[in-house]
Structure formats: C-alpha cells, structure tokens
Amino acid sequence: MTQGKINVSVENIFPLIKKFLYSDHEIFLRELVSNATDATIKLKHLTSIGEIKVDLGDPKIEIKIDKKKKRLHIIDQGLGMTQEEVQKYINEVAFSGAEEFMNTYKDSAKDAGIIGHFGLGFYSAFMVAEKVEIITKSYKEEPAAHWTCDGSPEFTLTSNDKKERGTEIILHIAKDSTEFLEESRIRELLTKYNKFMPVPIIFGTKTETLPKPEGADEKDPAPTIEVPNVINNPHPAWTKQPAELKEEDYKAFYRELYPMQFEEPLFHIHLNVDYPFNLTGILFFPKLKGDLNLQKDKIQLYQNQVYVTDHVEGIVPEFLTMLRGVIDSPDIPLNVSRSYLQADGAVKKISSYITKKVADKLSSLFKNDRADFESKWNDIKIVVEYGMLSEEKFMEKADGFALYPTIDGQFYTWTELEEKIKPNQTDKDGTFVLLYASDQDAQHSYIQAAKEKGYEVLLLDSPIVAHLMQKLETTKEKVHFARIDTDPIDKLIKKTDDTISKLSDEQKDTLKSKIEAVVASKEYAVQMEAMDSSAAPFMITEPEFMRRMKEMQQTGGGGMFGLGNMPDMYQLVVNTNHPLITEILEAKTDKKQEKLIAQSVDLAKLSKGLLKGAALTDFIQRSYSLIK
Ligand code: ADP
Ligand code: MG
C-alpha cells in the first residue's frame, strides 16, 4: 500500500473548490461521465489502430445509486489505469488542473459565466463527496488499483482484486449533497448533460413488454421484462452526414431536443465543417411569435457530444439566437470568460460561417420553392430583418431573398419592387416612394385612397421593420418609405407642383382659426392644403419621421433619446379644394358652421381609429341630430 500526500501549494483545496463552485455543484457528474466516456473512446481508438488487442465487447457506462450506504457509483469499461497511472493522472495531472483553476479564478469566481465551463475534471467530485474511491483495472496485464481520498490532501493507494477492465468511481456523498442520491435528480442531470454522449449510459432499468407466446389466453397480460435503461442517444442526428438523413429524421431529432415543443420547425440547416475549425450541428428555424426575448437561448452548445451550455452569445451571431438546435465543436474555448470569447478569432470565424450557412440555406429555399418560402415568410421575417440590420454580409445576400409583401398578398423582392412599382411610384424629384401599411383594418381608408391612385401598398408589420426601413433608405439610392397615413396620398407621392387653392389666403386663415377653436387640442396641428377636390376634405395624418423614431425607440436602439415617451403628434389636414370646405365657409349660422366642423373632424378621427369614449358618444348623438 502506498500512502501519500498530494502535492499541493494551496492549503485545503477541497473546501475551496466547494465554496467557489457553489452554484454549479451538479457538473461533477458531467465531468465523471465525460472521463468514463473518454476512457472508453480511447480504448476503442487504440484497438482500432491496432495498438492494443483486447476484446472490446460493447462497452457501456453505468451509474448506480446505493441509498443505504449513501454512495454513487460511476462504472466504465474503458482502458482503466495502473497504479502508476493513478499516481500520475490522479495525484499529479488531475490535481494540477484543480489547483490551476483555483489560482486563476479564486478572485473572479463570481463571474458565473466561467464556472462550469472550466473542465475542473475529476476533483469536482469533492464538491459533493466527503470521500472518493477509484477502483480501476487497466487493459494492461497488471493488478487493479484502489485509490481513496477523504478530501484532505492525503490519499491511500493499494492494489485490488477487480478483474474486469475499466474504472469504478465511488462517491461517498456528503451530508449537504444528499440530493445526488435521489434517482430523479441523477436522471435529470444525465438527461441534461449526457443525453447525446457517444457511449451508452445505463441508469436503472425499464420495463419492456414482450410479444405474447403463441396460443396464450387473450385475457392473460403480455409478459414483461426488466431491461437496462439507456439514458442517451449515442448517435444523435448532428453526428451523421446530411446524406444519411431524411426530413423525418430531422423532425424526430427536433422532438428529441425539445420534447415539450409541439410545433414542428419550419426547416433545418445542417452545419458541417472541418476546416479551419471543427464544427457540426443542426439549426432549426422555429415559428416565432409573441415575446421574442423569451424565445432566445434555445440553442445548445456541445463539446464532443457533451452538453456545455445554452448561452451561445458570441458563437452564434445575435440575430440567430432565436433559432433552435445544436452546435458541437471541440474548437470553442469553453473554459474562458465571455469577453474573451467575443475577441477570439476562431469564435469570430465560427460566427461568420454560421451566418453564411444560414444565408445560403435561405437563398436556396427561396430559389427552389418560392411559394413555400413565401408561405413561411411571416414566421421567419424577424430573423431575416434582424440579420439584415446587424450583419453586413448577411444584408448583401438577403437582398436577393428578403420579401416585401403587399396588402394583396403578393410578395416582391427588392429587384421586383424596382421593376414593377418604381415606375409608377417615383415622385417629381426622382425618389422611389414605398407606401406601406402596418395594419390593414385600422388604415383601411388610407389604403383605399392609395389604391384608387393605382399605387401598391406594402404590408410591413414586424416590430423591427422601422429600423430596416431606416437602413434601406440610407443604403439604397433615392428611396423613401412612407406609411400610408402619414400624409394625404398626393403629398406622399408628389408628382406635380402644388395645386392652386380655391380659397384666398384670408379665407384660409379665418377657417383655420375656426377649426382650431373646435378641435381645441394641441395634439392636432391644423394644416390647410390645396389638394385634388376628390381627395378627403378632412384627414388625420401622423408624420412619418417622428412616428418611426418612436417605434425604433420602443424596439431598442437607433432612435432618438427620449422620444418613446413623447405624446403622439397628429396633423389635421384640411383639403381647401373640397366642396365641403366651401359649404362650411358659407354656412348660414355660426352654430351650423361649428357643427359641420365638429362632425367632419370626428369623421377624420374615426377613420384613424382615434374617436373614443365621450367624444364617440357625442359624435353619435350629433349624427342622429343631423339626420333627423
Ligand atoms: P481531464 O479529463 O481533463 O484530463 P480529469 O481531472 O477529468 O482531467 O482527469 C484526469 C486524468 O485522469 C484523465 O486525463 C485520465 O487520464 C484519468 N482518468 C480520469 N478518469 C478516468 C477513467 N474513468 N478511466 C481512465 N482514466 C481516467
Ligand atoms: Mg475529465
């Protein structure tokens, strides 16, 4: 028997490990199962290259709880360790890992981002155990070894009569960690971290129903049998080649990843690259709805099939964090802080590779089945628009497949807009004016007025579209987006010089002050305009610029500071060339004139959905009195 003291410079490292890793105790199981997996894969590898000759069998990893003795066992059939190797790998190598961790992070352990990303390895067992034993038999012809350590730097190392190749780790679970003796807790952890690990992991048994023997009585229950319960899928879809997989396999994998998700994904993107970095994975486009922030952080990051985290910022560009799926890369430096991740060159390359793959996929979907792409547009537009705003490279590609739907259900690309709409919607200064609505019902009368002029109206209703319009206006030449209710249609697309007014300046002024007296609200700025006599006599508009800035402010960034809280600003545009205006001017009594103005203003408010409460009741009463 060997007794010894682990060579430590930090006194009592174990209590420290425990304290600093407080929030993440559960990762010990991931670490121990990873070691068991590594040992199994190494053995397979050495066998496959002919280095060693052993009967591999069908190696598995087994997890067992012994509640009475308060022990947790992790058993593998991997390459095992000789006594010398235990001395070397456990007492020296593994310990140096733990010590290095302590030295690096004892001051910054609060940065929870790094904890758990750091492969603290074998010694993380001491976060939950008061004593740890290793019983291990190497594939080499040597007696097995038995190592014991109670959490102080002292250990014992003896030989043992274990015959089968492999390693058993026995954790004597500490009093404050008995949760790890609960079957449900262990199952939860195995499912979280080891669901897709490459070696079968067995935990408990499950009941399987066998076929009834021939001639059995109908009433007899079918025989059952207890079989080992395999926790993981050792060959998840992302580790296979795209050619091996059918559409159905991707959908099945999606259900495997998100068992609580009932909606199917719209489509998938299979990532597979081995140069200049290693990365595999499958991303899914889900149907997005509701609160977008709640839908983030669903992508899972793996390192060689071991779950690491679902915080992928930095690795996946921000606009793609709304996607779902898996990314697996041995090249992502996981044991470092987030700020490092963002500056790391390899990580940047991964991020732009993913961006490119997503753009290519969207582009090919668009080209191969445009009708299908159009039908999915509403569910993916947020991601595409967000990408166009935030990534220049994506913007360039997306210009080919980004769609601009019209209120009549047509979908145009930018090029098609220029071909089909631009000729008719260019104003006298040569600016291409894109009319759009955000709500078909609320803006119905304005849309109607535009249609009568033969104009096309786009339906742009996503929450970040204001930002996108702003961007398109600055990157494309002579382009202007105008919401349909921001001005009378002839002003939105001004094709000729001002129409001559039927009213004199004096008449205009008189009428203006009378209208102002009736409106009596600062929210509405009265504006006298000479327009086509067929255009509406009264109309409420909302300046595009202010409204858009407010919208941008509400969805974050881009707008001007403080505008989000400003009251709405409206213009009451009066068409001085409309016959009704002449009628109002010539009204016999002041009372009659006021009534006509009030009624007209209310009608204008009504068509913008602004007439509510007492004002609406007044309007209805006045209307009855007018038709009496
Ligand atoms: P790492 O896994 O990063 O090398 P660990 O602290 O987890 O660090 O483990 C240290 C070393 O101990 C491993 O590299 C390996 O050589 C050895 N080891 C740990 N667990 C096992 C095991 N189950 N079977 C064989 N060797 C093991
Ligand atoms: Mg390890």
Side-chain angles (χ1 to χ4, degrees), residues 65 72 180 182-190 203:
I65 298 175
L72 186 66
F180 299 112
E182 297 302 326
E183 196 187 313
S184 58
R185 181 75 170 122
I186 295 299
R187 185 182 303 279
E188 177 199 336
L189 293 181
L190 291 172
F203 181 57

Side-chain angles (χ1 to χ4, degrees), residues 80-264:
M81 287 179 275
T82 62
Q83 285 202 33
E84 259 164 61
E85 284 165 343
V86 172
Q87 178 65 29
K88 184 171 166 202
Y89 295 128
I90 299 298
N91 292 340
E92 290 163 24
V93 175
F95 197 81
S96 69
E99 197 179 7
E100 187 192 313
F101 175 84
M102 292 311 300
N103 287 332
T104 317
Y105 293 115
K106 62 184 169 207
D107 297 326
S108 63
K110 280 194 206 77
D111 180 358
I114 55 165
I115 292 175
H117 289 192
F118 189 92
L120 184 53
F122 173 74
Y123 277 92
S124 61
F126 287 97
M127 294 193 293
V128 301
E130 55 193 23
K131 181 169 143 187
V132 178
E133 292 178 67
I134 304 174
I135 301 170
T136 178
K137 166 87 182 75
S138 166
Y139 68 91
K140 296 171 191 160
E141 292 293 325
E142 274 190 50
H146 184 179
W147 179 91
T148 314
C149 181
D150 67 359
S152 69
E154 273 103 44
F155 67 90
T156 61
L157 182 59
T158 60
S159 53
N160 182 275
D161 57 10
K162 178 178 166 74
K163 290 278 174 294
E164 329 76 69
R165 180 195 65 232
T167 302
E168 174 165 7
I169 310 283
I170 306 168
L171 305 185
H172 298 250
I173 298 294
K175 284 189 193 65
D176 60 3
S177 300
T178 48
E179 63 182 286
F180 299 112
L181 291 169
E182 297 302 326
E183 196 187 313
S184 58
R185 181 75 170 122
I186 295 299
R187 185 182 303 279
E188 177 199 336
L189 293 181
L190 291 172
T191 314
K192 176 172 173 186
Y193 292 106
N194 310 300
K195 193 173 172 180
F196 298 113
M197 285 189 63
V199 179
I201 299 165
I202 292 167
F203 181 57
T205 57
K206 64 176 179 204
T207 313
E208 243 170 40
T209 313
L210 296 172
K212 279 190 193 179
E214 263 185 56
D217 194 329
E218 282 232 348
K219 276 176 246 146
D220 285 347
T224 57
I225 176 179
E226 287 294 300
V227 294
N229 180 31
V230 179
I231 286 280
N232 55 332
N233 169 5
H235 308 289
W238 83 83
T239 62
K240 298 178 184 167
Q241 289 299 316
E244 292 174 53
L245 299 164
K246 295 196 182 67
E247 195 54 41
E248 212 21 66
D249 299 319
Y250 286 105
K251 284 185 180 156
F253 177 57
Y254 187 78
R255 284 193 293 275
E256 205 179 338
L257 268 183
Y258 308 106
M260 309 305 274
Q261 190 69 43
F262 298 108
E263 202 138 33
E264 293 207 324

Side-chain angles (χ1 to χ4, degrees), residues 4 42 79 89 93 108 155 165 201 208-209 214 218 223 226 271 277 294 313 339 391 409 416 433 440 443 530 585 623:
K42 277 181 206 159
L79 46 58
Y89 295 128
V93 175
S108 63
F155 67 90
R165 180 195 65 232
I201 299 165
E208 243 170 40
T209 313
E214 263 185 56
E218 282 232 348
E226 287 294 300
L271 307 169
F277 48 83
L294 290 180
E313 58 258 58
S339 51
E391 306 277 329
E416 290 162 355
V433 182
Q440 284 210 64
Q443 293 151 1
L585 258 182
S623 300

Side-chain angles (χ1 to χ4, degrees), residues 407-573:
I407 49 154
D408 302 314
Q410 287 255 40
F411 289 84
Y412 292 120
T413 61
W414 187 266
T415 315
E416 290 162 355
L417 285 176
E418 287 191 326
E419 280 165 16
K420 301 202 172 119
I421 298 185
K422 193 174 173 178
N424 192 28
Q425 294 187 201
T426 300
D427 70 10
K428 66 182 171 58
D429 302 323
T431 300
F432 175 20
V433 182
L434 290 132
L435 302 172
Y436 71 98
S438 58
D439 183 328
Q440 284 210 64
D441 290 335
Q443 293 151 1
H444 185 267
S445 63
Y446 302 86
I447 295 170
Q448 224 37 46
K451 280 188 155 179
E452 270 158 29
K453 290 267 171 186
Y455 296 145
E456 288 253 34
V457 180
L458 303 177
L459 182 63
L460 302 178
D461 56 3
S462 87
I464 54 170
V465 77
H467 295 267
L468 184 62
M469 291 188 285
Q470 200 72 13
K471 174 147 188 166
L472 290 167
E473 284 175 359
T474 49
T475 49
K476 309 250 181 210
E477 249 166 59
K478 288 205 143 196
V479 164
H480 177 62
F481 283 87
R483 203 168 89 179
I484 202 76
D485 56 349
T486 50
D487 246 330
I489 191 69
D490 286 331
K491 279 186 80 187
L492 287 177
I493 306 180
K494 224 172 178 172
K495 294 216 164 154
T496 52
D497 288 325
D498 293 342
T499 316
I500 297 158
S501 178
K502 283 189 195 161
L503 302 192
S504 70
D505 285 353
E506 208 188 325
Q507 283 174 310
K508 272 196 221 164
D509 287 345
T510 330
L511 188 60
K512 189 175 177 203
S513 44
K514 285 192 171 158
I515 295 171
E516 276 167 349
V518 174
V519 174
S521 161
K522 289 206 173 57
E523 263 182 61
Y524 296 91
V526 179
Q527 203 180 319
M528 311 299 279
E529 291 279 344
M531 293 187 289
D532 203 274
S533 60
S534 65
F538 286 81
M539 183 177 196
I540 287 166
T541 62
E542 208 181 343
E544 173 78 17
F545 178 75
M546 291 294 277
R547 197 211 67 248
R548 199 193 293 176
M549 287 298 150
K550 280 178 70 173
E551 281 173 11
M552 286 167 69
Q553 178 88 157
Q554 278 153 10
T555 47
M560 272 188 211
F561 181 72
L563 282 172
N565 302 323
M566 288 251 302
D568 292 324
M569 291 286 293
Y570 299 110
Q571 283 167 348
L572 176 64
V573 183

